[in-house]
Amino acid sequence: MEKHVLKDFLSVGVPKAVESDIMAAVNFVLNYFVVFCWGSYGYAVYATSWKYVDLMLVPSVALAGALVPIAAAAFSKHDFPKMRFSYGYAMAWTLIITAVIAAVLYVFMDYAAIIFTYSEGSIAMRADIIHVTKIFLIIGVLFSAINISSSLLQAMRMANNSMWSTFARNILLIFVFGATCTISPDAMWWGFVLCEIVGLVIMCGWAEIGYKMRLKEYKHHF
């Protein structure tokens, strides 16, 4: 394999791998704060509620994965309008689909919660799972948009920016969970929402700045 090809692979693959490792490592810390605040019962509620978010994020992950090769091809051809269009298209559909899923889950959450609380041992958790999941639905919509912006950065060979954005968001999460775990579970959940709003602003901001920077570089050389 030629060096420049290997370099292109590593420039995206390594930051993406580190990004995934950061989220996995931080999740251990967040779990500790959840248990500290609400015990093993709270962790069970937290982990179960997050399963609905995972379901919401499936379309986002698919669209983000599709965006990378399309935007990267447009970037290599210096077709910036196509890159902008593909990014906007993926972002719009991600938000629409995720928002619809969130709305459906919100309305029918009383029934959706039965999936994980049908046994006698778990039925007591149902009310809390419904409550926590309804808050987490907001996080799902925000995180779906973060995925799309991250993919654009990868396509423009700016995966490092995505990695550092993820790092900043997760460090903020640790501080927020640490500060709110002594208050109440709800304080942690709404702090989580706040962190994802900040993370969305950072990631989308990087994507916009990166696009303008790459466009400026192209105009300067040509």
Side-chain angles (χ1 to χ4, degrees), residues 18-212:
V18 173
E19 192 174 326
S20 299
D21 288 340
I22 289 171
M23 290 189 289
V26 168
N27 197 43
F28 282 109
V29 182
L30 301 185
N31 290 344
Y32 167 79
F33 286 127
V34 172
V35 173
F36 178 85
C37 179
W38 207 5
S40 57
Y41 171 86
Y43 174 74
V45 172
Y46 169 75
T48 304
S49 298
W50 195 255
K51 293 182 185 298
Y52 297 97
V53 179
D54 286 334
L55 173 64
M56 288 176 62
L57 292 176
V58 170
S60 166
V61 172
L63 285 167
L67 175 62
V68 174
I70 294 172
F75 176 68
S76 65
K77 294 179 180 179
H78 307 296
D79 190 346
F80 287 90
K82 183 178 180 179
M83 187 166 63
R84 167 74 81 176
F85 175 79
S86 61
Y87 171 60
Y89 189 84
M91 180 67 80
W93 276 106
T94 291
L95 290 174
I96 290 170
I97 295 171
T98 309
V100 168
I101 295 173
V104 171
L105 283 174
Y106 187 91
V107 172
F108 296 102
M109 197 60 226
D110 289 356
Y111 303 100
I114 295 174
I115 298 173
F116 298 108
T117 58
Y118 59 87
S119 66
E120 292 184 6
S122 60
I123 195 169
M125 299 167 55
R126 186 175 297 170
D128 286 321
I129 289 174
I130 292 171
H131 172 70
V132 174
T133 302
K134 285 183 175 180
I135 298 174
F136 282 5
L137 293 177
I138 303 171
I139 296 172
V141 175
L142 295 170
F143 196 80
S144 69
I146 291 174
N147 279 342
I148 300 299
S149 293
S150 175
S151 291
L152 180 64
L153 288 168
Q154 293 168 41
M156 296 188 297
R157 300 177 182 174
M158 300 179 71
N160 281 333
N161 299 79
S162 175
M163 180 189 71
W164 287 113
S165 175
T166 297
F167 178 77
R169 188 177 80 252
N170 280 274
I171 291 299
L172 179 61
L173 262 174
I174 291 175
F175 278 109
V176 169
F177 266 53
T180 56
C181 70
T182 57
I183 302 174
S184 70
D186 272 1
M188 296 175 69
W189 314 145
W190 287 110
F192 201 164
V193 172
L194 177 62
C195 290
E196 292 306 306
I197 293 173
V198 173
L200 177 61
V201 171
I202 295 174
M203 192 71 83
C204 287
W206 268 120
E208 186 66 25
I209 292 170
Y211 175 83
K212 291 179 179 179

Side-chain angles (χ1 to χ4, degrees), residues 202-221:
I202 295 174
M203 192 71 83
C204 287
W206 268 120
E208 186 66 25
I209 292 170
Y211 175 83
K212 291 179 179 179
M213 186 175 73
R214 293 305 194 199
L215 180 59
K216 185 178 179 180
E217 289 173 354
Y218 170 71
K219 289 181 177 179
H220 178 73
H221 286 95

